């Protein structure tokens, strides 16, 4: 149980285009989802906290107009990288909390999406 | 900003040896968690230790927490080649949304 999927796993796009990444909790309800970015050989940096039915909370330095987050249901959150540039190339990982489980403090991570902007 | 600092940055050991990784953090926490990441993959949750706990075991893993020193250690006993991965500590300060702040990570290589 507690499986989180991401789609796509890899995406290559041209500079200036927008890319949408989906994060789904497959067997539990996730009122809160998190989006992280990881550059090569570095740690995960939290970008934003996504709450179902409300606006996302962005970390300092993360442009909310560039990284659009929508958490429309209890099982789906999307991250759209708008007008992508090569410096946005990174590994994007989502995670979700299952508030109904005893392990509600645990976040379950998706497999990540490798974005390459040419 | 990164809260956790981990050392060593990289560790190379022989199969069967023990591996110890350390993590330090700066603020008060609700709990501290350890994760493993294989190259280019997602994270796997290993163990969670709460602020009122001092030690926790899970299989070959042993985690300690010293809140007075704001530090934690992860011990992997009898390491295997399959343990080769990056290991991250992450702190949960119990703030809104229970967001995690990750340390820089330790790259562990277990040679067979």
């Amino acid at each position: 149980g507690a499986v989180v999927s991401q789609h796509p796993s890899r995406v290559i796009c041209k500079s200036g285009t927008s890319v949408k990444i989906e994060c789904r909790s497959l067997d539990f309800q996730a009122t809160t989802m998190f989006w992280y970015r990881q550059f090569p050989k570095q740690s995960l940096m939290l970008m934003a906290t996504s709450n179902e039915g409300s606006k996302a909370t962005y970390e300092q330095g993360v442009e909310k107009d560039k990284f659009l987050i929508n958490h429309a249901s209890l099982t789906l959150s999307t991250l759209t990288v708008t007008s992508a540039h090569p410096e946005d190339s990174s590994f994007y990982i989502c995670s979700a909390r299952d508030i109904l489980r005893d392990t509600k403090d645990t976040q379950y991570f998706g497999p990540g999406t490798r974005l390459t902007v040419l | 900003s990164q809260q956790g600092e981990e050392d060593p940055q990289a560790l190379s050991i022989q199969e069967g040896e023990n591996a110890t990784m350390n993590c330090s953090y700066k603020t008060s926490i609700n709990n501290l968690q350890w994760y493993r990441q294989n190259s280019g993959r997602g994270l796997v949750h290993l163990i969670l230790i709460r602020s009122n706990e001092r030690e926790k075991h899970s299989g070959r893993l042993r985690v300690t927490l010293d809140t007075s020193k704001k530090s934690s250690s992860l011990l992997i006993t009898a390491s295997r080649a399959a343990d080769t991965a990056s290991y991250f500590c992450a702190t949960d300060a119990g703030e809104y949304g229970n967001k995690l702040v990750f340390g820089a990570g330790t790259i562990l290589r277990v040679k067979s």
Side-chain angles (χ1 to χ4, degrees):
Chain A
V3 177
V4 176
S5 71
Q6 280 184 242
H7 177 80
S9 58
R10 287 178 176 270
V11 57
I12 300 173
C13 69
K14 293 182 179 180
S15 187
T17 60
S18 295
V19 175
K20 180 184 283 188
I21 302 169
E22 293 184 349
C23 176
R24 293 182 185 273
S25 57
L26 298 185
D27 54 357
F28 66 96
Q29 294 182 335
T31 55
T32 304
M33 288 183 170
F34 303 87
W35 287 96
Y36 296 85
R37 180 168 53 185
Q38 184 181 31
F39 291 108
K41 299 188 187 301
Q42 294 189 25
S43 188
L44 280 75
M45 295 293 293
L46 179 66
M47 299 175 66
T49 302
S50 167
N51 293 294
E52 186 266 337
S54 64
K55 291 184 179 180
T57 302
Y58 290 81
E59 294 299 300
Q60 194 171 14
V62 178
E63 300 175 58
K64 62 180 181 181
D65 294 330
K66 181 168 182 61
F67 299 99
L68 301 179
I69 291 173
N70 186 294
H71 193 158
S73 76
L74 287 172
T75 59
L76 173 65
S77 176
T78 60
L79 168 68
T80 301
V81 183
T82 62
S83 187
H85 288 95
E87 57 265 31
D88 298 324
S89 298
S90 188
F91 194 51
Y92 291 87
I93 306 175
C94 72
S95 70
R97 290 176 58 230
D98 181 355
I99 63 170
L100 298 180
R101 287 179 182 248
D102 291 338
T103 55
K104 60 181 182 295
D105 288 338
T106 299
Q107 291 186 22
Y108 299 95
F109 283 79
T113 296
R114 176 77 58 192
L115 170 63
T116 302
V117 184
L118 303 176
Chain B
S1 61
Q2 292 285 341
Q3 164 159 249
E5 298 293 330
E6 292 182 60
D7 77 272
Q9 291 185 332
L11 180 61
S12 182
I13 59 174
Q14 290 293 135
E15 203 165 30
E17 294 181 340
N18 295 342
T20 299
M21 289 159 268
N22 302 296
C23 168
S24 62
Y25 56 92
K26 297 176 183 175
T27 64
S28 297
I29 61 170
N30 183 45
N31 64 69
L32 184 144
Q33 304 177 34
W34 285 90
Y35 290 84
R36 183 184 74 216
Q37 183 182 36
N38 289 86
S39 181
R41 309 286 292 273
L43 271 71
V44 174
H45 182 262
L46 295 177
I47 200 164
L48 180 153
I49 186 165
R50 300 190 186 284
S51 60
N52 61 352
E53 298 175 311
R54 291 297 167 258
E55 188 171 312
K56 208 163 182 180
H57 297 255
S58 177
R60 294 184 295 114
L61 306 179
R62 172 176 170 255
V63 168
T64 62
L65 178 65
D66 188 334
T67 53
S68 66
K69 295 181 179 178
K70 291 186 169 58
S71 67
S72 174
S73 67
L74 171 67
L75 168 67
I76 303 174
T77 60
S79 63
R80 305 167 182 168
D83 295 328
T84 295
S86 293
Y87 291 81
F88 296 93
C89 69
T91 53
D92 177 354
E95 298 170 349
Y96 173 72
N98 289 94
K99 61 183 183 181
L100 295 177
V101 177
F102 281 82
T106 294
I107 300 171
L108 173 66
R109 182 184 172 208
V110 182
K111 295 177 283 187
S112 56

